Amino acid sequence: MSPEPNYSVVVPMYNEEAVILKTYLRLKGVMDGIGEPYEFVFVNDGSRDRSAEIVKELGQSDANVRLIDFSRNFGHQVAISAGMDYAQGRAVIVIDADLQDPPEVIPDMIRKWKEGYDVIYGKRLKRKGETAFKKGTALIFYRLLRSLTSVEIPVDTGDFRLLDRKVCDVMSGLKEKNRFIRGMVSWVGFNQTSVEYIREERAAGETKYPLKKMIRFAVDAITSFSYKPLKLATYIGFVLSLSSFFYLLVVLYQRLFTNSTEPGWASIIAINLFFNGIVLLMLGVIGEYIGRIYDESKNRPLYIIKETMGFGADRRERSDER
């Protein structure tokens, strides 16, 4: 019987068959070098390729390999959550399968953990292989998020981090459905620090965060940790209402005391379009929050597991839903 692992390496994956073997080999080289018991927890987030089959093949020759196979795609943040739920290590390391975050940084994180830190997150000094647009939008997003929230979320960080067991236990108790892991980790507190590194290009395959998903991710992050957009809607509504009232006084003055008014539809249509646009924008912001309330009220499981591999009997007996 293999000893309980000191470290659990959680690897969410979605259509990563082109890189998953290389990822495993690099992770194994790093973890073997540490010389302590460990496990790999691969979470297959509804991949349509052979990602799960490749991990199963690895598990036949490596007892440290575990697999959680979702019934469908539930999303990257949910896959990380499932990995943390099932991980048994005293410390849990989250790393993506694309090798943009180098596994060779993990020993530095472990050293920080042994010094007494509970959360060690990777801080990117440079992002290789990314377009100027993506770098610029990421720069704006992280600083905008920090200005909107009361939680101190470190800038230029991703989900690559090490979490102490007690932090993972607390995270498992957080039940919200629209999850932003790095924000949640900041919210729970504990003793946190960073390890700096240079983010590499993808080893193979395509990015799983195109523009559409990036926008969705940004919306989830902001609405999960800030209600300031709702307050902004109130402020804008107040300012526009006040401006409209003063403009009404101006129009009445011109109509009653001057001959400068000209009949026509252009100005009326322009004003109507402007104010209707603002109203629809504010309704959209409010709708985002109402949609999240609706998701929470349904109380559906965060994920559904089709099958698992490599876990002990005690963990196989747990519910496949959360």
Side-chain angles (χ1 to χ4, degrees):
M1 181 178 179
S2 58
E4 284 294 312
N6 283 350
Y7 309 108
S8 297
V9 183
V10 173
V11 186
M13 56 184 188
Y14 177 65
N15 295 338
E16 298 287 6
E17 68 175 357
V19 72
I20 198 66
L21 179 58
K22 185 175 182 180
T23 300
Y24 162 77
L25 292 174
R26 279 185 61 181
L27 284 170
K28 182 174 176 58
V30 170
M31 299 310 295
D32 284 346
I34 293 171
E36 299 178 53
Y38 66 87
E39 66 177 357
F40 296 131
V41 182
F42 290 92
V43 185
N44 182 41
D45 187 21
S47 297
R48 295 186 298 271
D49 62 7
R50 295 190 65 253
S51 296
E53 285 74 11
I54 293 172
V55 173
K56 288 178 182 178
E57 292 169 2
L58 293 172
Q60 293 176 1
S61 58
D62 188 344
N64 296 318
V65 174
R66 324 270 189 253
L67 173 67
I68 301 171
D69 195 6
F70 282 173
S71 63
R72 64 169 177 84
N73 178 257
F74 284 91
H76 179 259
Q77 302 293 287
V78 174
I80 292 174
S81 299
M84 291 194 295
D85 289 344
Y86 272 70
Q88 291 294 288
R90 293 170 50 227
V92 177
I93 300 138
V94 179
I95 185 170
D96 286 342
D98 56 19
L99 291 177
Q100 285 188 281
D101 301 321
E104 291 74 20
V105 177
I106 291 175
D108 296 332
M109 292 182 168
I110 290 175
R111 279 192 288 272
K112 290 284 188 181
W113 175 64
K114 290 182 176 180
E115 290 174 9
Y117 291 99
D118 301 308
V119 177
I120 301 93
Y121 52 85
K123 184 177 179 64
R124 303 158 181 165
L125 295 177
K126 185 177 180 182
R127 303 161 68 107
K128 293 184 179 179
E130 295 184 353
T131 63
F133 174 77
K134 186 167 184 179
K135 291 178 182 177
T137 52
L139 182 73
I140 294 170
F141 163 68
Y142 286 114
R143 282 147 186 84
L144 175 63
L145 182 62
R146 184 171 61 177
S147 68
L148 287 176
T149 63
S150 57
V151 178
E152 186 65 28
I153 301 175
V155 299
D156 302 322
T157 64
D159 295 313
F160 182 34
R161 59 191 62 216
L162 181 150
L163 309 174
D164 187 84
R165 175 78 262 155
K166 59 178 174 287
V167 180
C168 284
D169 291 341
V170 172
M171 292 284 291
S172 295
L174 304 180
K175 303 299 184 182
E176 60 253 48
K177 305 297 187 289
N178 297 285
R179 302 174 79 80
F180 179 54
I181 297 296
R182 66 200 73 165
M184 295 167 68
V185 172
S186 296
W187 181 84
V188 300
F190 295 97
N191 193 12
Q192 306 196 11
T193 190
S194 65
V195 169
E196 295 179 337
Y197 71 101
I198 296 176
R199 197 170 202 230
E200 302 292 337
E201 298 182 38
R202 282 187 62 91
E206 298 179 353
T207 178
K208 303 307 182 293
Y209 270 95
L211 180 59
K212 182 179 178 181
K213 282 193 174 182
M214 286 172 59
I215 294 173
R216 182 77 264 166
F217 182 69
V219 171
D220 284 342
I222 292 172
T223 52
S224 294
F225 285 90
S226 176
Y227 57 86
K228 287 185 180 179
L230 288 175
K231 296 176 69 175
L232 179 63
T234 303
Y235 296 148
I236 292 177
F238 175 77
V239 170
L240 290 177
S241 298
L242 191 62
S243 301
S244 300
F245 174 74
F246 283 118
Y247 183 68
L248 176 62
L249 295 180
V250 172
V251 171
L252 289 175
Y253 174 81
Q254 290 178 336
R255 179 68 181 84
L256 296 174
F257 301 104
T258 72
N259 295 320
S260 62
T261 56
E262 293 288 341
W265 291 101
S267 60
I268 295 175
I269 291 173
I271 291 171
N272 280 338
L273 288 175
F274 175 73
F275 284 103
N276 287 340
I278 294 295
V279 169
L280 290 174
L281 175 63
M282 296 302 101
L283 286 176
V285 172
I286 295 170
E288 286 290 339
Y289 284 91
I290 293 175
R292 278 152 178 74
I293 295 172
Y294 176 64
D295 281 343
E296 299 297 332
S297 68
K298 288 185 290 189
N299 200 31
R300 290 177 180 171
L302 185 61
Y303 53 80
I304 300 174
I305 294 176
K306 181 169 63 177
E307 64 175 326
T308 61
M309 181 204 74
F311 295 102
D314 56 333
R315 278 187 283 176
R316 285 200 301 267
E317 290 171 359
R318 73 168 66 188
S319 171
D320 284 345
E321 300 180 356
R322 182 190 151 204

